[in-house]
Amino acid sequence: MERPFAIVTGASTGIGYEFARICAREGFDLLIAADEVEIEKAAADLRREPGARAVEAAHLDLATQDGVDHLHGDQGPSDRRAHGQCRARTWARVSRSGP
């Protein structure tokens, strides 16, 4: 059976990183992308998460057509269903944590 795959953008810091961290722990293969050099460190950190599998980093600007073309051309489209599953699990955890 093929492992689920997700692309997480803005994953070098903040909410994007936390989202990628949860996906990594859930066993998703990840492609994380950001236009910041910290994306390489984020990928290294995510590879050490329990349950993490393949984590690849793409340092590119997805606000440009070149960035989008590079991401799509090199990696192919993500498994949208898997990405949605991880997102749903993430939001469920956030909503349960409450104030």
Side-chain angles (χ1 to χ4, degrees), residues 15-61:
I15 293 171
Y17 177 82
E18 291 302 319
F19 179 68
R21 188 175 63 83
I22 291 169
C23 289
R25 286 182 172 203
E26 295 286 336
F28 281 71
D29 287 346
L30 289 173
L31 171 62
I32 59 172
D35 63 350
E36 301 169 333
V37 295
E38 291 87 358
I39 196 67
E40 296 296 337
K41 180 183 181 315
D45 292 345
L46 290 168
R47 289 182 192 111
R48 291 190 290 273
E49 286 291 326
R53 296 178 184 230
V55 179
E56 298 297 325
H59 180 203
L60 45 82
D61 185 356

